[in-house]
Structures are given as structure tokens and as C-alpha cells.
Amino acid sequence: MRFPAEPFRIKVVEKIRRTTRDERVELLQRAGLNVFLIPADAIYVDLLTDSGTGAMSDHQWAGLMIGDESYAGSKSFFKFESAVRDVTGFPSVIPTHQGRVAENLLFSTICSEGKTIIANTHFDTTRANVEMNHAEALDLPVKESMDPQLGSLWKGNMDLAKLEAKLKADRDNVPMVVMTVTNNSTGGQPVSMENIRGASKLCKQYGVPFFIDCARFAENCWFIHELEPGYKGKSIIEIARELFSYADGCWMSAKKDALVNIGGFIAMNDVELARKLQQKLILIEGFPTYGGLAGRDLEAVAIGLYEGMEQEYLQYRTAQVRYLGEMLLDAGISIVRPVGGHAVFIDAKAFCDHIPAEQFPGVALTSALYREAGIRGVEIGSLMFGHKDPATGEHVGPHLELVRLAIPRRVYTTAHMTYVAESIVELHKSRHAIKGMRLTYEAPVLRHFTARLEEV
Ligand code: F0G
């Protein structure tokens, strides 16, 4: 069997609606061809994101009932704190309602004009929080990550030679080095333990704090378990503990690998820094024992953190994503290789090779995929990252034009994945009928969320 059957059975179901093609054409017109603006109720398989879209287990739902909603000193907080400490080893644990608040607390405290935060690759909200605080967000991914066709391992890694050169030259202006595991922006690609150890060693040598953006740490640890010599006999929690032991702290959007719909945290060794962040937390999120979450949410994270590390679950999870990717590859569709942990990234430049970057091939593909099959993916290309050069008016786009199909955790079955793959293969046959697009409305920042377009 190419794919291990789901290691769970279904206790509660949620109906999803199959719309007609005519209905979808109409909805797309109303949404300015932007799938962000389509009501979720009219989507059959929603692969917009794997964040907060997972299904909780019966244990997590039971946990909601025993959530302690005390304003201060909630029992659920101590359970949450103890789970985070157990996995990460960091003594100071600060709950936040999602990942970007942890980023806001951290970067508003350590960033200022002239400083540089270095990462393997900053996720967009991470970059935005660094830049909002007048610092530079410098990405130092390995060069292999730039080639989507290269099926080599560990394409999430950081370029350690470049890291060392930067630290040597400018150590005083680098308040932090960040490793994002898995590396979402390069295709959900894993980072090897060797690379984490190497980055940690350099940071120690130059006296720079090293943090992990650990939204998908369990998926990353699964890849280490499977692919890195010496880890096959270790459990995922042992691998995770080793990974965190190289760092000074971490933050997590628990909406991914902790299998909850909302939640996050920041944890670290530095008690002084933690105190500063807690003061800010009280201002923007709430008291340090709930940080913008209900007691029941804390309970769900405490349980989900462990469920997310179960080997049977991770084996199925990564195999499901790979199954979708391999069905596309078998049909000759170009995707980012190897398949990452949480999503399949279609190479929209190759799929729509008749559409130039300034006509948004990724958006054209996303829109066609919804129109033909009711599936929602997300463009990661010229609409999200491109702009017009103010001097020449020329389009400046990113290196890759991608469409991400992010798979929610424990939500869709293999049959759904087959449906998605077959729909894309069908669309591929008539791909030259997909038309390029032009913008009719764009907001000054983060334009992809609200942009409106029309066919050229
Ligand atoms: N870090 C990484 C690596 C992420 O992927 C995300 C969110 C965040 C931080 C921010 O966390 O959403 O809880 O505030 N990624 C989602 C995605 C939105 O679709 O990839 P958040």
C-alpha cells in the first residue's frame, strides 16, 4: 500500500457541500477571482492552510470540559506549562493566542534600527514583525532550496558558512538567530539535526541567542527519525528534546503540530527576557497564566502537543502529504521536491507556462482549481510577494511562482486526496485554456488577502 490507512476512526462528521460549476463561476466573479474572498461554506476541499484547521481528538474535546477558567493561576495553565517544559526543556513558558503574538512580543523587545535577525527563512509574519520593529530580516537558506526540481534532503537547512561570515562581521548587531522547523517558506522542508547543532555552535561561539520557530517541530523530528543517521531507534519526544536542547528558546504557533484550532507560546531559558515579555503580554494578551487563551484552550494544547508526536500519526500524516505529491508527479506535474511535511507546492510557472509572471500564473491556477473542482489552495508568488518597480513600472516577482496545497491534520481522508490529485491532473490536460489575470484592486500592504482581479 502506498499509504498507511488513517490511525483513527471518525466519531463526529462535518458535512461539506459540493457546489455546481455554474455556482462557482458566479462566486468567483463576486470574489474578484480571489479565493480568499470565497465563503468557506462553498468550498469542497479546503487546502488554504494547515493552521488551526486540524481536527481535535476525543481526548482534547474531553479536555475542554475540564478547562479551568480562573483568571489567575488556572489549573489548566500549570498543565500547559508542564507539557511545554517537558517537551522543550525551557523553564519560562508564556502562553499566547497564536504564533505571531509571540513574534510581536519577542521582536518588539529585541529589535531596533540597524539590527539584523537571521533565519533559515523567516515566515511572512515573522519577517513582518521584525521589519515593523525597524530591523532587517535576513534569510540564509541553503542554495539547494532555490531549485524546486532538486529532490535532495534537508532543503530547510540554513547556510552555515554564510551564517558564520555574517556573525564574524556583524555579531553586535545580530540580537537573534532563528531556525524555522520545518521551513514553511521553502516548501515545508525539514532541517537536519546536524544543521541545528551547527547553527547552535556558531551562535554560542559568537554569543548570539538561538531560537526555534517550532510550529511544525514534530513533523521535522519525524523526518530526522526517518532520514538522519542515528535517529531511527529514538522516540520523537527524545529527538524533540535534543533539538530544543541546542537552543536558548522557542516560540510556537500551536495551531499546527499541537493539533489545536487556536493557541501558541513562547518559552526560553533567559528569565530576565521572559519577565520583559510577560509585562507586554499583560498589556496586549492577558495575565501570564492565560495569555489570550481560555483555560480550555490551554488544556487542548497540553494534550495535543503529545498527540502530535505519536509515531503512527506522524507516519500517516507525512505519507498522506507525500501520496498527494506523488500522484501529481506520476502525472508529470511539476511540484517542489521532495514533498515537505505539511503541504504540496505546485510549480505554477511550469503548470501555466503560457502565463507571464506579471499576469499571476499562481492566482490563475488557484482560481481555475476552485472553478473546476471546488478546491482551495493558496498562491505563493507574484501576488503575495511581487510589486511594481516605482521607477520603471516593471513587475518585480519572486524567484518561484507556487500554489500551496496545505493539508489540514486528521481532517481529510485518502479519498479526498485522490479527488484533489485527479482534479489537478484533469485540469493539467486543459491547462492552456487557463487565462492570465490583471489586478483591478490592490491594498497597499499584504495585497493578496483582499486583491480583486479579472482575466486578461
Ligand atoms: N511561524 C511559521 C513557520 C508559520 O507557518 C506561521 C503561520 C507562524 C509562525 C505564525 O503563526 O498563524 O499562529 O500567528 N503559518 C500559517 C500558514 C498562517 O498558513 O502557513 P500564527
Side-chain angles (χ1 to χ4, degrees):
M1 194 161 32
R2 279 175 81 169
F3 175 72
E6 285 76 6
F8 51 79
R9 56 182 175 177
I10 296 164
K11 198 189 287 262
V12 176
V13 295
E14 180 183 359
K15 199 165 166 178
I16 47 180
R17 194 159 73 89
R18 297 201 71 160
T19 46
T20 62
R21 189 178 186 279
D22 285 350
E23 216 178 316
R24 293 193 294 271
V25 166
E26 166 69 28
L27 282 162
L28 272 171
Q29 278 314 321
R30 266 193 263 154
L33 304 180
N34 182 352
V35 293
F36 272 106
L37 305 177
I38 305 267
D41 168 56
I43 287 158
Y44 182 54
V45 181
D46 199 349
L47 308 181
L48 186 67
T49 178
D50 64 318
S51 179
T53 52
M56 294 209 297
S57 68
D58 48 356
H59 284 278
Q60 286 176 296
W61 281 103
L64 298 191
M65 287 307 295
I66 54 168
D68 173 359
E69 305 304 340
S70 305
Y71 189 94
S74 148
K75 200 164 65 195
S76 303
F77 171 72
F78 294 113
K79 194 164 164 190
F80 170 92
E81 181 187 53
S82 137
V84 175
R85 280 182 179 161
D86 181 37
V87 178
T88 69
F90 300 122
S92 296
V93 177
I94 301 169
T96 62
H97 85 269
Q98 60 181 80
R100 66 197 72 182
V101 186
E103 293 166 353
N104 176 312
L105 293 168
L106 189 61
F107 295 121
S108 67
T109 307
I110 65 167
C111 286
S112 57
E113 187 89 40
K115 303 286 182 199
T116 301
I117 303 294
I118 302 174
N120 49 345
T121 314
H122 293 78
F123 178 67
D124 346 352
T125 60
T126 322
R127 169 174 290 277
N129 273 294
V130 170
E131 290 174 352
M132 267 284 287
N133 290 292
H134 316 288
E136 181 200 2
L138 176 65
D139 291 336
L140 297 180
V142 285
K143 66 173 187 313
E144 292 86 338
S145 70
M146 303 307 280
D147 180 357
Q149 299 312 322
L150 192 71
S152 65
L153 287 179
W154 314 118
K155 281 168 80 177
N157 280 359
M158 187 182 288
D159 186 326
L160 297 185
K162 286 193 182 147
L163 173 64
E164 179 156 32
K166 178 70 185 170
L167 291 178
K168 202 178 251 172
D170 204 20
R171 178 257 153 272
D172 290 341
N173 290 315
V174 180
M176 182 169 287
V177 171
V178 176
M179 196 71 94
T180 311
V181 301
T182 56
N183 192 339
N184 188 2
S185 311
T186 63
Q189 300 292 324
V191 180
S192 70
M193 194 71 93
E194 189 188 6
N195 192 252
I196 292 167
R197 211 180 290 125
S200 165
K201 198 168 155 216
L202 286 171
C203 289
K204 283 210 175 70
Q205 189 182 329
Y206 289 92
V208 174
F210 179 51
F211 269 57
I212 312 278
D213 174 354
C214 66
R216 301 179 181 87
F217 79 96
E219 287 164 8
N220 201 97
C221 289
W222 174 255
F223 284 111
I224 292 174
H225 179 269
E226 289 299 286
L227 304 171
E228 194 160 351
Y231 288 94
K232 202 77 191 179
K234 297 211 161 105
S235 67
I236 302 301
I237 197 167
E238 284 172 320
I239 298 172
R241 284 177 184 144
E242 181 184 337
L243 187 157
F244 289 114
S245 77
Y246 298 123
D248 301 294
C250 69
W251 75 89
M252 181 176 194
S253 167
K255 298 169 74 172
K256 285 84 170 175
D257 276 357
L259 298 163
V260 290
N261 304 118
I262 196 76
F265 61 81
I266 178 160
M268 68 200 77
N269 287 327
D270 184 340
V271 178
E272 274 313 304
L273 177 62
R275 269 206 199 106
K276 282 189 204 157
L277 302 192
Q278 273 167 338
Q279 290 309 316
K280 284 192 181 164
L281 183 83
I282 294 175
L283 213 67
I284 64 171
E285 285 275 85
F287 192 73
T289 63
Y290 74 86
L293 291 167
R296 55 177 170 268
D297 300 326
L298 295 166
E299 226 26 76
V301 175
I303 299 165
L305 260 182
Y306 291 100
E307 288 185 1
M309 289 187 291
E310 285 169 10
Q311 292 198 19
E312 257 200 327
Y313 156 72
L314 284 167
Q315 182 188 17
Y316 137 83
R317 161 74 178 157
T318 49
Q320 187 184 44
V321 178
R322 198 172 54 240
Y323 171 78
L324 172 59
E326 283 175 358
M327 281 190 75
L328 299 183
L329 281 173
D330 288 352
I333 295 168
S334 170
I335 61 169
V336 173
R337 294 181 57 233
V339 177
H342 68 291
V344 172
F345 293 71
I346 303 176
D347 180 351
K349 233 186 233 176
F351 201 103
C352 298
D353 53 11
H354 57 294
I355 302 179
E358 62 269 26
Q359 288 181 14
F360 309 110
V363 186
L365 175 54
T366 330
S367 167
L369 193 56
Y370 176 69
R371 186 182 60 233
E372 300 308 325
I375 298 163
R376 175 157 70 174
V378 66
E379 185 249 16
I380 303 187
S382 277
L383 184 62
M384 192 179 270
F385 294 125
H387 63 274
K388 271 210 170 76
D389 185 309
T392 63
E394 294 267 302
H395 171 81
V396 185
H399 180 61
L400 301 173
E401 300 286 341
L402 302 173
V403 169
R404 184 183 77 169
L405 305 171
I407 318 296
R409 295 172 181 78
R410 305 192 293 205
V411 169
Y412 294 115
T413 64
T414 318
H416 287 115
M417 292 303 112
T418 309
Y419 170 77
V420 171
E422 285 175 354
S423 305
I424 295 170
V425 171
E426 213 34 54
L427 183 62
H428 192 249
K429 290 180 191 155
S430 57
R431 64 205 175 96
H432 287 127
I434 300 174
K435 295 198 174 89
M437 298 191 166
R438 71 176 142 244
L439 281 160
T440 59
Y441 166 74
E442 65 179 305
V445 284
L446 297 172
R447 62 180 183 173
H448 56 288
F449 290 120
T450 52
R452 301 185 68 85
L453 304 100
E454 63 186 11
E455 285 182 343
V456 173

